[in-house]
PDB file of all heavy atoms in Angstrom:
ATOM      1  N   PHE L1315      33.886 190.823 -67.070  1.00 97.00           N
ATOM      2  CA  PHE L1315      34.595 191.310 -68.247  1.00 97.00           C
ATOM      3  C   PHE L1315      33.701 191.216 -69.487  1.00 97.00           C
ATOM      4  O   PHE L1315      33.588 192.172 -70.266  1.00 97.00           O
ATOM      5  CB  PHE L1315      35.873 190.490 -68.443  1.00 97.00           C
ATOM      6  CG  PHE L1315      36.592 190.765 -69.726  1.00 97.00           C
ATOM      7  CD1 PHE L1315      37.349 191.904 -69.895  1.00 97.00           C
ATOM      8  CD2 PHE L1315      36.516 189.863 -70.782  1.00 97.00           C
ATOM      9  CE1 PHE L1315      38.013 192.154 -71.086  1.00 97.00           C
ATOM     10  CE2 PHE L1315      37.168 190.095 -71.974  1.00 97.00           C
ATOM     11  CZ  PHE L1315      37.926 191.254 -72.131  1.00 97.00           C
ATOM     12  N   LEU L1316      33.050 190.100 -69.673  1.00 98.00           N
ATOM     13  CA  LEU L1316      32.184 189.929 -70.839  1.00 98.00           C
ATOM     14  C   LEU L1316      30.979 190.857 -70.777  1.00 98.00           C
ATOM     15  O   LEU L1316      30.529 191.381 -71.803  1.00 98.00           O
ATOM     16  CB  LEU L1316      31.720 188.475 -70.937  1.00 98.00           C
ATOM     17  CG  LEU L1316      32.794 187.426 -71.209  1.00 98.00           C
ATOM     18  CD1 LEU L1316      32.197 186.020 -71.133  1.00 98.00           C
ATOM     19  CD2 LEU L1316      33.458 187.639 -72.563  1.00 98.00           C
ATOM     20  N   ARG L1317      30.470 191.068 -69.587  1.00 97.00           N
ATOM     21  CA  ARG L1317      29.254 191.874 -69.430  1.00 97.00           C
ATOM     22  C   ARG L1317      29.527 193.363 -69.646  1.00 97.00           C
ATOM     23  O   ARG L1317      28.655 194.097 -70.136  1.00 97.00           O
ATOM     24  CB  ARG L1317      28.674 191.654 -68.038  1.00 97.00           C
ATOM     25  CG  ARG L1317      27.318 192.295 -67.807  1.00 97.00           C
ATOM     26  CD  ARG L1317      26.799 192.002 -66.416  1.00 97.00           C
ATOM     27  NE  ARG L1317      26.508 190.586 -66.219  1.00 97.00           N
ATOM     28  CZ  ARG L1317      27.225 189.785 -65.435  1.00 97.00           C
ATOM     29  NH1 ARG L1317      28.280 190.238 -64.774  1.00 97.00           N
ATOM     30  NH2 ARG L1317      26.905 188.514 -65.307  1.00 97.00           N
ATOM     31  N   THR L1318      30.733 193.817 -69.322  1.00 97.00           N
ATOM     32  CA  THR L1318      30.997 195.256 -69.292  1.00 97.00           C
ATOM     33  C   THR L1318      31.882 195.755 -70.423  1.00 97.00           C
ATOM     34  O   THR L1318      31.964 196.974 -70.630  1.00 97.00           O
ATOM     35  CB  THR L1318      31.646 195.653 -67.955  1.00 97.00           C
ATOM     36  OG1 THR L1318      32.895 194.950 -67.799  1.00 97.00           O
ATOM     37  CG2 THR L1318      30.719 195.297 -66.790  1.00 97.00           C
ATOM     38  N   GLN L1319      32.551 194.869 -71.150  1.00 94.00           N
ATOM     39  CA  GLN L1319      33.482 195.300 -72.180  1.00 94.00           C
ATOM     40  C   GLN L1319      32.935 194.981 -73.570  1.00 94.00           C
ATOM     41  O   GLN L1319      32.484 193.868 -73.837  1.00 94.00           O
ATOM     42  CB  GLN L1319      34.844 194.600 -71.994  1.00 94.00           C
ATOM     43  CG  GLN L1319      35.492 194.844 -70.646  1.00 94.00           C
ATOM     44  CD  GLN L1319      35.810 196.302 -70.412  1.00 94.00           C
ATOM     45  OE1 GLN L1319      36.351 196.984 -71.275  1.00 94.00           O
ATOM     46  NE2 GLN L1319      35.476 196.798 -69.229  1.00 94.00           N
ATOM     47  N   GLY L1320      32.989 195.989 -74.461  1.00 91.00           N
ATOM     48  CA  GLY L1320      32.576 195.735 -75.836  1.00 91.00           C
ATOM     49  C   GLY L1320      33.679 195.046 -76.606  1.00 91.00           C
ATOM     50  O   GLY L1320      34.852 195.182 -76.270  1.00 91.00           O
ATOM     51  N   PRO L1321      33.290 194.253 -77.625  1.00 94.00           N
ATOM     52  CA  PRO L1321      31.927 194.031 -78.109  1.00 94.00           C
ATOM     53  C   PRO L1321      31.186 192.924 -77.377  1.00 94.00           C
ATOM     54  O   PRO L1321      30.050 192.611 -77.721  1.00 94.00           O
ATOM     55  CB  PRO L1321      32.169 193.629 -79.572  1.00 94.00           C
ATOM     56  CG  PRO L1321      33.446 192.850 -79.521  1.00 94.00           C
ATOM     57  CD  PRO L1321      34.295 193.548 -78.482  1.00 94.00           C
ATOM     58  N   TRP L1322      31.835 192.341 -76.368  1.00 96.00           N
ATOM     59  CA  TRP L1322      31.250 191.165 -75.710  1.00 96.00           C
ATOM     60  C   TRP L1322      29.960 191.511 -74.990  1.00 96.00           C
ATOM     61  O   TRP L1322      29.029 190.699 -74.941  1.00 96.00           O
ATOM     62  CB  TRP L1322      32.281 190.560 -74.747  1.00 96.00           C
ATOM     63  CG  TRP L1322      33.641 190.598 -75.333  1.00 96.00           C
ATOM     64  CD1 TRP L1322      34.682 191.413 -74.979  1.00 96.00           C
ATOM     65  CD2 TRP L1322      34.095 189.843 -76.457  1.00 96.00           C
ATOM     66  NE1 TRP L1322      35.760 191.201 -75.797  1.00 96.00           N
ATOM     67  CE2 TRP L1322      35.431 190.243 -76.719  1.00 96.00           C
ATOM     68  CE3 TRP L1322      33.517 188.874 -77.269  1.00 96.00           C
ATOM     69  CZ2 TRP L1322      36.183 189.705 -77.755  1.00 96.00           C
ATOM     70  CZ3 TRP L1322      34.263 188.324 -78.306  1.00 96.00           C
ATOM     71  CH2 TRP L1322      35.572 188.742 -78.534  1.00 96.00           C
ATOM     72  N   GLY L1323      29.898 192.729 -74.411  1.00 97.00           N
ATOM     73  CA  GLY L1323      28.689 193.115 -73.699  1.00 97.00           C
ATOM     74  C   GLY L1323      27.448 193.100 -74.574  1.00 97.00           C
ATOM     75  O   GLY L1323      26.334 192.897 -74.088  1.00 97.00           O
ATOM     76  N   GLN L1324      27.626 193.340 -75.867  1.00 97.00           N
ATOM     77  CA  GLN L1324      26.481 193.307 -76.768  1.00 97.00           C
ATOM     78  C   GLN L1324      25.912 191.898 -76.892  1.00 97.00           C
ATOM     79  O   GLN L1324      24.694 191.727 -77.050  1.00 97.00           O
ATOM     80  CB  GLN L1324      26.878 193.831 -78.146  1.00 97.00           C
ATOM     81  CG  GLN L1324      25.692 194.017 -79.085  1.00 97.00           C
ATOM     82  CD  GLN L1324      26.094 194.598 -80.416  1.00 97.00           C
ATOM     83  OE1 GLN L1324      26.781 193.955 -81.209  1.00 97.00           O
ATOM     84  NE2 GLN L1324      25.674 195.831 -80.667  1.00 97.00           N
ATOM     85  N   LEU L1325      26.763 190.885 -76.813  1.00 97.00           N
ATOM     86  CA  LEU L1325      26.270 189.508 -76.837  1.00 97.00           C
ATOM     87  C   LEU L1325      25.334 189.261 -75.672  1.00 97.00           C
ATOM     88  O   LEU L1325      24.346 188.529 -75.792  1.00 97.00           O
ATOM     89  CB  LEU L1325      27.441 188.521 -76.772  1.00 97.00           C
ATOM     90  CG  LEU L1325      28.459 188.544 -77.907  1.00 97.00           C
ATOM     91  CD1 LEU L1325      29.605 187.585 -77.612  1.00 97.00           C
ATOM     92  CD2 LEU L1325      27.806 188.193 -79.239  1.00 97.00           C
ATOM     93  N   VAL L1326      25.656 189.881 -74.526  1.00 97.00           N
ATOM     94  CA  VAL L1326      24.818 189.724 -73.334  1.00 97.00           C
ATOM     95  C   VAL L1326      23.537 190.538 -73.469  1.00 97.00           C
ATOM     96  O   VAL L1326      22.431 190.029 -73.244  1.00 97.00           O
ATOM     97  CB  VAL L1326      25.600 190.151 -72.074  1.00 97.00           C
ATOM     98  CG1 VAL L1326      24.724 190.000 -70.826  1.00 97.00           C
ATOM     99  CG2 VAL L1326      26.873 189.321 -71.927  1.00 97.00           C
ATOM    100  N   SER L1327      23.664 191.811 -73.852  1.00 97.00           N
ATOM    101  CA  SER L1327      22.486 192.682 -73.913  1.00 97.00           C
ATOM    102  C   SER L1327      21.485 192.251 -74.974  1.00 97.00           C
ATOM    103  O   SER L1327      20.273 192.436 -74.811  1.00 97.00           O
ATOM    104  CB  SER L1327      22.914 194.131 -74.166  1.00 97.00           C
ATOM    105  OG  SER L1327      23.548 194.265 -75.430  1.00 97.00           O
ATOM    106  N   LEU L1328      21.970 191.651 -76.062  1.00 97.00           N
ATOM    107  CA  LEU L1328      21.066 191.181 -77.103  1.00 97.00           C
ATOM    108  C   LEU L1328      20.560 189.757 -76.857  1.00 97.00           C
ATOM    109  O   LEU L1328      19.747 189.248 -77.629  1.00 97.00           O
ATOM    110  CB  LEU L1328      21.761 191.236 -78.473  1.00 97.00           C
ATOM    111  CG  LEU L1328      22.121 192.627 -78.995  1.00 97.00           C
ATOM    112  CD1 LEU L1328      22.789 192.519 -80.371  1.00 97.00           C
ATOM    113  CD2 LEU L1328      20.882 193.515 -79.078  1.00 97.00           C
ATOM    114  N   GLY L1329      21.054 189.133 -75.804  1.00 97.00           N
ATOM    115  CA  GLY L1329      20.582 187.794 -75.478  1.00 97.00           C
ATOM    116  C   GLY L1329      21.195 186.695 -76.319  1.00 97.00           C
ATOM    117  O   GLY L1329      20.673 185.568 -76.330  1.00 97.00           O
ATOM    118  N   ASN L1330      22.288 186.984 -77.029  1.00 97.00           N
ATOM    119  CA  ASN L1330      22.962 185.917 -77.778  1.00 97.00           C
ATOM    120  C   ASN L1330      23.535 184.858 -76.843  1.00 97.00           C
ATOM    121  O   ASN L1330      23.573 183.669 -77.169  1.00 97.00           O
ATOM    122  CB  ASN L1330      24.095 186.493 -78.638  1.00 97.00           C
ATOM    123  CG  ASN L1330      23.632 187.550 -79.606  1.00 97.00           C
ATOM    124  OD1 ASN L1330      24.145 188.659 -79.630  1.00 97.00           O
ATOM    125  ND2 ASN L1330      22.644 187.221 -80.435  1.00 97.00           N
ATOM    126  N   VAL L1331      24.003 185.321 -75.668  1.00 97.00           N
ATOM    127  CA  VAL L1331      24.546 184.411 -74.667  1.00 97.00           C
ATOM    128  C   VAL L1331      23.845 184.655 -73.333  1.00 97.00           C
ATOM    129  O   VAL L1331      23.298 185.735 -73.087  1.00 97.00           O
ATOM    130  CB  VAL L1331      26.073 184.575 -74.499  1.00 97.00           C
ATOM    131  CG1 VAL L1331      26.797 184.360 -75.830  1.00 97.00           C
ATOM    132  CG2 VAL L1331      26.432 185.936 -73.915  1.00 97.00           C
ATOM    133  N   ASP L1332      23.879 183.653 -72.493  1.00 97.00           N
ATOM    134  CA  ASP L1332      23.314 183.729 -71.149  1.00 97.00           C
ATOM    135  C   ASP L1332      24.436 183.378 -70.179  1.00 97.00           C
ATOM    136  O   ASP L1332      24.841 182.216 -70.092  1.00 97.00           O
ATOM    137  CB  ASP L1332      22.149 182.754 -71.012  1.00 97.00           C
ATOM    138  CG  ASP L1332      21.561 182.724 -69.614  1.00 97.00           C
ATOM    139  OD1 ASP L1332      21.810 183.671 -68.834  1.00 97.00           O
ATOM    140  OD2 ASP L1332      20.853 181.756 -69.287  1.00 97.00           O
ATOM    141  N   LEU L1333      24.983 184.375 -69.488  1.00 98.00           N
ATOM    142  CA  LEU L1333      26.103 184.135 -68.590  1.00 98.00           C
ATOM    143  C   LEU L1333      25.664 183.336 -67.371  1.00 98.00           C
ATOM    144  O   LEU L1333      24.677 183.685 -66.710  1.00 98.00           O
ATOM    145  CB  LEU L1333      26.725 185.457 -68.148  1.00 98.00           C
ATOM    146  CG  LEU L1333      27.413 186.285 -69.241  1.00 98.00           C
ATOM    147  CD1 LEU L1333      27.966 187.581 -68.661  1.00 98.00           C
ATOM    148  CD2 LEU L1333      28.527 185.482 -69.908  1.00 98.00           C
ATOM    149  N   ARG L1334      26.381 182.272 -67.086  1.00 97.00           N
ATOM    150  CA  ARG L1334      26.089 181.409 -65.941  1.00 97.00           C
ATOM    151  C   ARG L1334      27.302 181.422 -65.008  1.00 97.00           C
ATOM    152  O   ARG L1334      28.428 181.171 -65.447  1.00 97.00           O
ATOM    153  CB  ARG L1334      25.804 179.976 -66.401  1.00 97.00           C
ATOM    154  CG  ARG L1334      24.715 179.845 -67.462  1.00 97.00           C
ATOM    155  CD  ARG L1334      23.331 179.932 -66.880  1.00 97.00           C
ATOM    156  NE  ARG L1334      22.304 179.777 -67.909  1.00 97.00           N
ATOM    157  CZ  ARG L1334      21.756 178.601 -68.247  1.00 97.00           C
ATOM    158  NH1 ARG L1334      22.168 177.472 -67.668  1.00 97.00           N
ATOM    159  NH2 ARG L1334      20.807 178.558 -69.180  1.00 97.00           N
ATOM    160  N   PRO L1335      27.125 181.685 -63.711  1.00 96.00           N
ATOM    161  CA  PRO L1335      28.267 181.813 -62.798  1.00 96.00           C
ATOM    162  C   PRO L1335      28.911 180.471 -62.465  1.00 96.00           C
ATOM    163  O   PRO L1335      28.213 179.468 -62.263  1.00 96.00           O
ATOM    164  CB  PRO L1335      27.654 182.449 -61.551  1.00 96.00           C
ATOM    165  CG  PRO L1335      26.214 182.023 -61.583  1.00 96.00           C
ATOM    166  CD  PRO L1335      25.842 181.958 -63.042  1.00 96.00           C
ATOM    167  N   LEU L1336      30.233 180.483 -62.425  1.00 98.00           N
ATOM    168  CA  LEU L1336      31.008 179.345 -61.947  1.00 98.00           C
ATOM    169  C   LEU L1336      31.601 179.688 -60.591  1.00 98.00           C
ATOM    170  O   LEU L1336      31.887 180.847 -60.295  1.00 98.00           O
ATOM    171  CB  LEU L1336      32.140 179.000 -62.918  1.00 98.00           C
ATOM    172  CG  LEU L1336      31.785 178.386 -64.265  1.00 98.00           C
ATOM    173  CD1 LEU L1336      33.039 178.227 -65.110  1.00 98.00           C
ATOM    174  CD2 LEU L1336      31.072 177.053 -64.100  1.00 98.00           C
ATOM    175  N   GLU L1337      31.823 178.663 -59.780  1.00 97.00           N
ATOM    176  CA  GLU L1337      32.447 178.826 -58.472  1.00 97.00           C
ATOM    177  C   GLU L1337      33.547 177.792 -58.325  1.00 97.00           C
ATOM    178  O   GLU L1337      33.351 176.606 -58.633  1.00 97.00           O
ATOM    179  CB  GLU L1337      31.406 178.660 -57.368  1.00 97.00           C
ATOM    180  CG  GLU L1337      31.940 178.886 -55.966  1.00 97.00           C
ATOM    181  CD  GLU L1337      30.869 178.750 -54.908  1.00 97.00           C
ATOM    182  OE1 GLU L1337      29.676 178.940 -55.243  1.00 97.00           O
ATOM    183  OE2 GLU L1337      31.227 178.437 -53.755  1.00 97.00           O
ATOM    184  N   ASP L1338      34.698 178.244 -57.864  1.00 97.00           N
ATOM    185  CA  ASP L1338      35.840 177.359 -57.693  1.00 97.00           C
ATOM    186  C   ASP L1338      35.463 176.135 -56.863  1.00 97.00           C
ATOM    187  O   ASP L1338      34.986 176.260 -55.734  1.00 97.00           O
ATOM    188  CB  ASP L1338      36.974 178.140 -57.006  1.00 97.00           C
ATOM    189  CG  ASP L1338      38.244 177.318 -56.822  1.00 97.00           C
ATOM    190  OD1 ASP L1338      38.423 176.326 -57.540  1.00 97.00           O
ATOM    191  OD2 ASP L1338      39.062 177.694 -55.957  1.00 97.00           O
ATOM    192  N   GLY L1339      35.655 174.953 -57.455  1.00 96.00           N
ATOM    193  CA  GLY L1339      35.412 173.709 -56.742  1.00 96.00           C
ATOM    194  C   GLY L1339      33.976 173.232 -56.721  1.00 96.00           C
ATOM    195  O   GLY L1339      33.702 172.141 -56.195  1.00 96.00           O
ATOM    196  N   ARG L1340      33.057 173.999 -57.283  1.00 97.00           N
ATOM    197  CA  ARG L1340      31.640 173.593 -57.271  1.00 97.00           C
ATOM    198  C   ARG L1340      31.258 172.969 -58.606  1.00 97.00           C
ATOM    199  O   ARG L1340      31.380 173.589 -59.653  1.00 97.00           O
ATOM    200  CB  ARG L1340      30.732 174.779 -56.983  1.00 97.00           C
ATOM    201  CG  ARG L1340      29.240 174.421 -56.932  1.00 97.00           C
ATOM    202  CD  ARG L1340      28.431 175.638 -56.566  1.00 97.00           C
ATOM    203  NE  ARG L1340      28.688 175.998 -55.182  1.00 97.00           N
ATOM    204  CZ  ARG L1340      27.782 175.880 -54.196  1.00 97.00           C
ATOM    205  NH1 ARG L1340      26.580 175.426 -54.471  1.00 97.00           N
ATOM    206  NH2 ARG L1340      28.085 176.223 -52.972  1.00 97.00           N
ATOM    207  N   ALA L1341      30.793 171.721 -58.569  1.00 97.00           N
ATOM    208  CA  ALA L1341      30.459 170.986 -59.781  1.00 97.00           C
ATOM    209  C   ALA L1341      29.214 171.546 -60.448  1.00 97.00           C
ATOM    210  O   ALA L1341      28.266 171.973 -59.778  1.00 97.00           O
ATOM    211  CB  ALA L1341      30.253 169.506 -59.462  1.00 97.00           C
ATOM    212  N   VAL L1342      29.233 171.545 -61.772  1.00 97.00           N
ATOM    213  CA  VAL L1342      28.066 171.915 -62.573  1.00 97.00           C
ATOM    214  C   VAL L1342      27.519 170.634 -63.199  1.00 97.00           C
ATOM    215  O   VAL L1342      28.159 170.046 -64.071  1.00 97.00           O
ATOM    216  CB  VAL L1342      28.443 172.922 -63.672  1.00 97.00           C
ATOM    217  CG1 VAL L1342      27.217 173.262 -64.534  1.00 97.00           C
ATOM    218  CG2 VAL L1342      29.043 174.184 -63.075  1.00 97.00           C
ATOM    219  N   PRO L1343      26.360 170.160 -62.778  1.00 97.00           N
ATOM    220  CA  PRO L1343      25.803 168.944 -63.383  1.00 97.00           C
ATOM    221  C   PRO L1343      25.308 169.224 -64.797  1.00 97.00           C
ATOM    222  O   PRO L1343      24.603 170.210 -65.030  1.00 97.00           O
ATOM    223  CB  PRO L1343      24.657 168.567 -62.448  1.00 97.00           C
ATOM    224  CG  PRO L1343      24.270 169.854 -61.781  1.00 97.00           C
ATOM    225  CD  PRO L1343      25.500 170.694 -61.698  1.00 97.00           C
ATOM    226  N   LEU L1344      25.677 168.373 -65.726  1.00 96.00           N
ATOM    227  CA  LEU L1344      25.236 168.507 -67.112  1.00 96.00           C
ATOM    228  C   LEU L1344      24.100 167.553 -67.432  1.00 96.00           C
ATOM    229  O   LEU L1344      23.160 167.904 -68.140  1.00 96.00           O
ATOM    230  CB  LEU L1344      26.407 168.264 -68.060  1.00 96.00           C
ATOM    231  CG  LEU L1344      27.629 169.175 -67.883  1.00 96.00           C
ATOM    232  CD1 LEU L1344      28.685 168.849 -68.928  1.00 96.00           C
ATOM    233  CD2 LEU L1344      27.229 170.638 -67.949  1.00 96.00           C
ATOM    234  N   SER L1345      24.199 166.349 -66.952  1.00 92.00           N
ATOM    235  CA  SER L1345      23.154 165.346 -67.109  1.00 92.00           C
ATOM    236  C   SER L1345      23.448 164.267 -66.082  1.00 92.00           C
ATOM    237  O   SER L1345      24.411 164.373 -65.305  1.00 92.00           O
ATOM    238  CB  SER L1345      23.119 164.776 -68.529  1.00 92.00           C
ATOM    239  OG  SER L1345      24.363 164.176 -68.856  1.00 92.00           O
ATOM    240  N   GLU L1346      22.635 163.241 -66.057  1.00 90.00           N
ATOM    241  CA  GLU L1346      22.831 162.191 -65.058  1.00 90.00           C
ATOM    242  C   GLU L1346      24.220 161.554 -65.222  1.00 90.00           C
ATOM    243  O   GLU L1346      24.570 161.056 -66.293  1.00 90.00           O
ATOM    244  CB  GLU L1346      21.748 161.123 -65.194  1.00 90.00           C
ATOM    245  CG  GLU L1346      21.820 160.056 -64.118  1.00 90.00           C
ATOM    246  CD  GLU L1346      20.685 159.065 -64.204  1.00 90.00           C
ATOM    247  OE1 GLU L1346      19.803 159.239 -65.085  1.00 90.00           O
ATOM    248  OE2 GLU L1346      20.664 158.110 -63.401  1.00 90.00           O
TER     249      GLU L1346
END
C-alpha cells in the first residue's frame, strides 16, 4: 500500500523511508 499509493509512494521513491518486511510471529531484533 505504501509503495504503490500516493503520496506515500513518493516517500519510498525518494528514499525518505526504507520499507522493511514484517512476518507474522517472526521477531525483529533491535539490539542485544
Side-chain angles (χ1 to χ4, degrees):
F1315 172 76
L1316 295 174
R1317 187 179 294 110
T1318 60
Q1319 302 298 314
W1322 321 107
Q1324 188 177 68
L1325 298 175
V1326 179
S1327 64
L1328 295 181
N1330 303 125
V1331 303
D1332 177 18
L1333 294 179
R1334 306 281 181 92
L1336 289 176
E1337 183 178 336
D1338 182 21
R1340 181 177 291 249
V1342 178
L1344 302 182
S1345 59
E1346 185 176 357

